[in-house]
């Protein structure tokens, strides 16, 4: 009998190594939660205001950013006028609210020549040079830190050529709000993503900063100050059923409820967030906007929902700023120019620039695919999903603090799958070598014993 006990030990070691490798491989493919097609059980979407991709991330490493040698003509209609404006760092220079109407888009887009960004603002008696300004990591360090750690999209276009009303409508209905939702309202013939979620039994809420339930499309004419923007930024307030039906109206709540829901474990499957004073709408403070976004993200990171959630930070339209990428014209409404969009999630690809062509209906597409909800229009039915930004083959990443101050090094370290699998493979190989060596030694010993016995006989 050849050392069965030792072989048993070696075999058990080999089996343990194999089990370790198999377990590690299984850990990289988490079980999909009940009711969703992916591990994402909570999607939170915040819509900020009025910036282009080049305006925020045009100098971020590895993106399709500001082209070298760019100089925008002051008057492209006059070939003899050679004056032009180069992109410049805004820093603390004062800015204004640039015009971002449909007419301005058409002048800036210039039938695809993309040479009217300065000229269009000058035509509105606004200093057109401002349109060529940009921020960088010293101005929006928190956003650049998020991009370092999670996913930044550099092919995300606004859904409509125009401004906030139209693009917010695409955000919830996959169609334009070009008939001025803030004054006319909508009937039951226009369906929203929340109608579909409600019908499918999927939980949802629309969180609104400083929410005033008395402000809707019927009362907006009597509102003073900037509070009327609530009707634009919360499109549901232009639908009678979301105003009058308690079942629907109860889902539109103040933003404070977001923090309460995270603490109580009652965050809904789909959550939309509309800002108020911290929207980053020029000339508002972008630093206040960053702090506002940081508070929302940090609350999610500290909650039990983190490991099954995705947070999308988006901007509703270009705000009149320069962006160099010509938007595809998919229909009579869009696309508009690129906007900054970030995805923050325990499953987000790390430090990844996603080049997939997307727009606001891509958010709807992900919701529809993930929760098995029917599309609203052809726009969301044909849109690319956000799913390309996720890595569901790896386990969810643990939460960690992301600072407001800019840092260029990676914010946290985690073992890469190739390293982990390399370790497992090495353990398996070592066990196999030990096992093989033991067999060789025992065979040699047995042979020697037989040889000795033969010699003695």
């Amino acid at each position: 009998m050849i050392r069965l006990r030792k072989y048993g030990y070696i075999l058990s070691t080999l089996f343990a190594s194999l089990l370790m490798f198999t377990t590690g491989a299984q850990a990289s493919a988490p079980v999909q939660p009940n009711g969703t097609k992916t591990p994402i059980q909570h999607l939170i979407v915040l819509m900020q205001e009025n910036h282009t991709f080049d305006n925020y991330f045009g100098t971020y490493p590895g993106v399709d950013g500001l082209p070298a040698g760019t100089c925008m003509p002051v008057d492209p209609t006059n070939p003899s006028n050679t004056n032009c404006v180069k992109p410049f760092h805004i820093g603390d220079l004062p800015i204004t609210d640039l015009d971002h109407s449909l007419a301005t888009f058409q002048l800036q887009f210039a039938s695809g020549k993309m040479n009217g960004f300065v000229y269009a603002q000058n035509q509105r008696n606004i200093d057109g040079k401002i349109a060529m300004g940009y921020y960088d990591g010293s101005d929006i360090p928190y956003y650049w830190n998020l991009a370092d750690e999670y996913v930044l999209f550099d092919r995300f276009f606004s859904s409509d050529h125009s401004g906030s009303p139209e693009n917010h409508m695409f955000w919830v209905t996959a169609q334009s709000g070009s008939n001025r939702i803030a004054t006319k309202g909508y009937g039951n013939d226009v369906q929203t993503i929340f109608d579909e979620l409600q019908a499918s039994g999927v939980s949802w809420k629309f969180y609104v900063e400083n929410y005033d339930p008395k402000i809707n499309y019927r009362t907006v004419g009597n509102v003073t100050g900037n509070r009327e923007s609530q009707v634009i930024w919360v499109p549901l307030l232009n639908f009678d059923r979301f105003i009058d039906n308690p079942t629907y109206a109860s889902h539109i709540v103040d933003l404070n409820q977001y923090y309460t829901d995270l603490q109580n474990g009652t965050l809904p499957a789909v959550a939309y967030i509309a800002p108020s004073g911290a929207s980053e709408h020029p000339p508002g403070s972008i630093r206040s906007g960053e702090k506002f976004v940081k508070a929302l993200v940090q609350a999610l990171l500290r909650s039990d929902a983190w490991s099954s959630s995705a947070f999308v930070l988006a901007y509703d339209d270009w705000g009149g700023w320069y962006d160099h990428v010509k938007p595809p014209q998919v229909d009579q409404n869009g696309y508009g120019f690129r906007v900054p969009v970030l995805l923050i999630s325990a499953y987000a690809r790390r430090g990844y620039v996603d080049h997939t062509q997307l727009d606001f209906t891509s958010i709807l597409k992900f919701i529809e695919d993930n929760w098995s909800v029917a599309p609203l229009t052809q726009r969301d039915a044909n849109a690319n999903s956000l799913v390309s930004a996720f890595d569901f083959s790896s386990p969810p990443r643990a939460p960690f603090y992301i600072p407001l101050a800019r840092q260029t090094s990676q914010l946290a370290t985690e073992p890469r799958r190739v390293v982990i699998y390399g370790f497992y493979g090495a353990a398996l190989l070592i066990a196999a070598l030990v096992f093989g060596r033991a067999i060789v030694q025992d065979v040699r010993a047995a042979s020697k014993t037989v040889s000795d016995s033969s010699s003695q006989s």
Side-chain angles (χ1 to χ4, degrees):
M1 182 182 293
I2 302 176
R3 304 184 190 181
L4 290 178
R5 189 171 293 179
K6 182 169 76 171
Y7 282 150
Y9 172 76
I10 295 173
L11 282 169
S12 66
T13 302
L14 182 60
F15 178 76
S17 299
L18 181 61
L19 181 63
M20 182 189 299
F21 180 83
T22 305
T23 303
Q26 289 176 345
S28 69
V31 177
Q32 294 176 354
N34 186 33
T36 59
K37 297 290 182 60
T38 75
I40 302 303
Q41 299 181 62
H42 309 281
L43 179 69
I44 305 108
V45 188
L46 168 65
M47 187 72 87
Q48 295 286 85
E49 298 286 314
N50 293 36
H51 292 278
T52 62
F53 184 88
D54 278 344
N55 180 241
Y56 265 16
F57 291 100
T59 59
Y60 186 84
V63 302
D64 185 358
L66 292 165
T70 297
C71 198
M72 185 60 50
V74 171
D75 185 0
T77 67
N78 182 3
S80 64
N81 187 341
T82 59
N83 293 329
C84 62
V85 181
K86 296 180 179 180
F88 65 93
H89 178 221
I90 296 172
D92 292 324
L93 295 174
I95 61 170
T96 188
D97 183 14
L98 298 171
D99 190 84
H100 45 284
S101 62
L102 175 59
T104 291
F105 170 85
Q106 291 170 337
L107 284 175
Q108 292 182 327
F109 181 67
S111 300
K113 293 189 290 292
M114 301 285 288
N115 63 359
F117 284 89
V118 173
Y119 176 74
Q121 299 298 332
N122 287 338
Q123 298 304 299
R124 305 288 181 265
N125 294 318
I126 297 173
D127 184 358
K129 294 191 297 291
I130 297 174
M132 300 303 294
Y134 65 85
Y135 299 99
D136 62 19
S138 65
D139 308 302
I140 47 173
Y142 182 67
Y143 294 157
W144 279 44
N145 287 342
L146 288 176
D148 289 345
E149 188 60 31
Y150 299 108
V151 176
L152 173 64
F153 300 95
D154 71 352
R155 278 293 185 280
F156 203 114
F157 299 90
S158 57
S159 296
D160 194 277
H161 299 148
S162 297
S164 290
E166 295 79 7
N167 281 295
H168 278 79
M169 276 294 286
F170 266 106
W171 185 35
V172 302
T173 69
Q175 57 184 284
S176 175
S178 58
N179 61 347
R180 307 307 300 168
I181 61 175
T183 57
K184 292 186 177 182
Y186 279 100
N188 293 328
D189 57 324
V190 176
Q191 292 294 295
T192 74
I193 189 62
F194 303 108
D195 290 299
E196 299 297 329
L197 294 173
Q198 186 76 16
S200 299
V202 179
S203 60
W204 64 274
K205 281 182 183 174
F206 205 123
Y207 299 103
V208 185
E209 186 183 18
N210 301 322
Y211 180 47
D212 186 345
K214 297 187 298 295
I215 300 176
N216 54 60
Y217 83 95
R218 302 169 188 159
T219 63
V220 69
N222 301 321
V223 176
T224 58
N226 294 327
R227 296 294 292 136
E228 64 182 12
S229 61
Q230 176 177 284
V231 181
I232 296 174
W233 297 351
V234 188
L236 301 186
L237 298 177
N238 298 275
F239 294 82
D240 291 336
R241 60 185 178 278
F242 287 99
I243 300 170
D244 300 328
N245 186 330
T247 300
Y248 285 91
S250 64
H251 291 264
I252 308 173
V253 297
D254 190 85
L255 182 59
N256 289 331
Q257 188 63 41
Y258 168 76
Y259 299 101
T260 301
D261 286 339
L262 285 174
Q263 292 174 356
N264 295 340
T266 54
L267 184 71
V270 177
Y272 273 32
I273 300 177
S276 181
S279 69
E280 300 168 56
H281 189 299
S285 169
I286 58 175
R287 292 180 176 86
S288 295
E290 277 200 307
K291 292 178 181 178
F292 170 67
V293 173
K294 182 176 181 290
L296 296 171
V297 172
Q298 286 298 119
L300 178 62
L301 285 163
R302 289 192 298 265
S303 75
D304 293 337
W306 164 251
S307 62
S308 59
S309 297
F311 188 104
V312 177
L313 167 62
Y315 291 76
D316 68 339
D317 66 67
W318 87 110
W321 299 100
Y322 169 69
D323 192 85
H324 79 279
V325 175
K326 182 170 69 173
Q329 299 305 286
V330 297
D331 59 26
Q332 63 181 357
N333 296 112
Y335 296 140
F337 298 117
R338 291 187 306 172
V339 290
V341 179
L342 288 158
L343 173 76
I344 302 102
S345 173
Y347 288 99
R349 297 181 184 274
R350 190 174 190 186
Y352 182 67
V353 178
D354 194 313
H355 307 298
T356 309
Q357 180 176 298
L358 304 165
D359 77 306
F360 300 134
T361 65
S362 298
I363 298 170
L364 300 177
K365 180 73 168 183
F366 179 80
I367 294 172
E368 292 155 2
D369 289 348
N370 197 45
W371 282 277
S372 301
V373 174
L376 297 165
T377 70
Q378 284 300 309
R379 278 288 290 267
D380 54 327
N382 296 330
N384 292 319
S385 170
L386 302 178
V387 73
S388 59
F390 294 97
D391 178 8
F392 294 126
S393 66
S394 298
R397 285 189 274 151
F400 52 86
Y401 176 77
I402 298 176
L404 271 175
R406 179 69 179 140
Q407 58 181 54
T408 55
S409 60
Q410 286 186 319
L411 302 176
T413 59
E414 63 177 8
R416 300 296 184 185
R417 280 194 298 159
V418 66
V419 176
I420 294 173
Y421 291 164
F423 174 78
Y424 292 153
L428 185 60
L429 179 60
I430 290 171
L433 290 173
V434 171
F435 184 54
R437 182 180 180 184
I439 292 175
V440 171
Q441 289 175 341
D442 281 343
V443 168
R444 286 176 177 174
S447 298
K448 187 176 186 300
T449 301
V450 172
S451 176
D452 291 344
S453 297
S454 298
S455 299
Q456 292 172 0
S457 60

